[in-house]
Coordinates of all heavy atoms in Angstrom, one line a residue:
Q378 N -6.4 4.9 13.7 CA -5.9 6.3 13.9 C -6.9 7.2 13.5 O -7.2 8.3 14.1 CB -4.6 6.4 13.3 CG -3.9 7.8 13.6 CD -3.6 8.0 15.0 OE1 -3.0 7.1 15.6 NE2 -4.0 9.1 15.6
L379 N -7.6 7.0 12.4 CA -8.6 7.9 11.9 C -9.7 8.1 12.8 O -10.2 9.2 13.0 CB -9.0 7.4 10.4 CG -10.1 8.2 9.7 CD1 -9.5 9.6 9.4 CD2 -10.5 7.6 8.4
E380 N -10.2 7.0 13.3 CA -11.4 7.0 14.2 C -11.0 7.8 15.5 O -11.7 8.6 16.1 CB -11.8 5.6 14.6 CG -12.5 4.9 13.5 CD -12.7 3.4 13.7 OE1 -12.1 2.9 14.5 OE2 -13.6 2.8 13.0
T381 N -9.7 7.5 15.9 CA -9.2 8.3 17.1 C -9.2 9.8 16.9 O -9.6 10.6 17.7 CB -7.8 7.8 17.5 OG1 -7.7 6.4 17.7 CG2 -7.2 8.5 18.7
D382 N -8.7 10.1 15.7 CA -8.6 11.6 15.4 C -10.0 12.2 15.4 O -10.2 13.3 15.8 CB -7.8 11.7 14.0 CG -6.4 11.3 14.2 OD1 -5.8 11.5 15.3 OD2 -5.8 10.9 13.2
R383 N -10.9 11.5 14.7 CA -12.3 12.0 14.6 C -12.9 12.2 16.0 O -13.6 13.2 16.3 CB -13.1 11.1 13.8 CG -12.8 11.3 12.3 CD -13.7 10.2 11.5 NE -13.5 10.4 10.0 CZ -13.8 9.6 9.1 NH1 -14.3 8.3 9.5 NH2 -13.7 9.8 7.9
R384 N -12.6 11.2 16.9 CA -13.1 11.3 18.2 C -12.5 12.5 18.9 O -13.2 13.3 19.6 CB -12.9 10.0 19.0 CG -13.3 10.0 20.4 CD -13.2 8.6 21.1 NE -11.9 8.1 20.9 CZ -10.9 8.3 21.7 NH1 -10.9 9.3 22.6 NH2 -9.7 7.8 21.4
L385 N -11.2 12.7 18.8 CA -10.5 13.8 19.6 C -11.0 15.2 19.0 O -11.2 16.1 19.8 CB -9.1 13.7 19.4 CG -8.4 12.4 20.1 CD1 -6.9 12.4 19.8 CD2 -8.6 12.5 21.6
V386 N -11.2 15.3 17.7 CA -11.7 16.5 17.1 C -13.1 16.8 17.6 O -13.4 17.9 17.9 CB -11.7 16.5 15.5 CG1 -12.4 17.6 14.9 CG2 -10.2 16.5 15.0
G387 N -13.9 15.7 17.6 CA -15.3 15.9 18.1 C -15.3 16.4 19.6 O -16.1 17.3 19.9
Q388 N -14.5 15.8 20.4 CA -14.4 16.3 21.8 C -13.9 17.7 21.9 O -14.5 18.5 22.6 CB -13.3 15.4 22.6 CG -13.9 13.9 22.8 CD -12.9 13.0 23.5 OE1 -11.7 13.5 23.6 NE2 -13.2 11.9 23.9
R389 N -12.9 18.1 21.2 CA -12.5 19.5 21.1 C -13.6 20.5 20.7 O -13.7 21.5 21.3 CB -11.2 19.6 20.3 CG -10.5 21.0 20.3 CD -10.2 21.5 21.7 NE -9.6 22.8 21.7 CZ -9.4 23.6 22.7 NH1 -9.8 23.0 24.0 NH2 -8.9 24.7 22.6
I390 N -14.3 20.0 19.7 CA -15.4 20.9 19.1 C -16.3 21.1 20.3 O -16.8 22.3 20.6 CB -16.0 20.3 18.0 CG1 -15.1 20.5 16.7 CG2 -17.4 21.0 17.7 CD1 -15.6 19.8 15.5
R391 N -16.7 20.1 21.1 CA -17.7 20.2 22.1 C -17.2 21.1 23.3 O -17.9 21.9 23.8 CB -18.1 18.9 22.6 CG -19.0 18.1 21.7 CD -19.5 16.9 22.3 NE -18.5 15.9 22.6 CZ -18.1 14.9 21.7 NH1 -18.6 14.9 20.5 NH2 -17.2 14.0 22.0
Q392 N -15.8 21.0 23.5 CA -15.3 21.9 24.6 C -15.3 23.4 24.2 O -15.7 24.2 25.0 CB -13.8 21.4 24.8 CG -13.6 20.1 25.5 CD -12.2 19.7 25.6 OE1 -11.3 20.4 25.0 NE2 -12.0 18.6 26.3
I393 N -15.0 23.6 22.9 CA -15.0 25.0 22.4 C -16.4 25.6 22.4 O -16.6 26.7 22.8 CB -14.4 25.1 21.1 CG1 -12.9 24.8 21.1 CG2 -14.5 26.4 20.5 CD1 -12.2 24.7 19.7
Q394 N -17.4 24.7 22.0 CA -18.8 25.2 22.0 C -19.2 25.5 23.4 O -19.9 26.5 23.6 CB -19.6 24.1 21.3 CG -19.5 24.0 19.9 CD -20.3 22.9 19.4 OE1 -20.6 21.8 19.9 NE2 -20.6 23.0 18.0
Q395 N -18.8 24.7 24.4 CA -19.2 25.1 25.8 C -18.6 26.4 26.2 O -19.2 27.2 26.9 CB -18.7 23.9 26.7 CG -19.5 22.6 26.5 CD -19.0 21.5 27.4 OE1 -17.9 21.6 28.1 NE2 -19.6 20.3 27.4

Side-chain angles (χ1 to χ4, degrees):
Q378 183 66 47
L379 178 61
E380 290 168 342
T381 302
D382 294 330
R383 283 176 174 161
R384 177 172 53 80
L385 294 176
V386 168
Q388 289 176 350
R389 181 60 180 165
I390 287 177
R391 288 190 291 272
Q392 290 174 356
I393 294 176
Q394 288 174 331
Q395 290 175 355

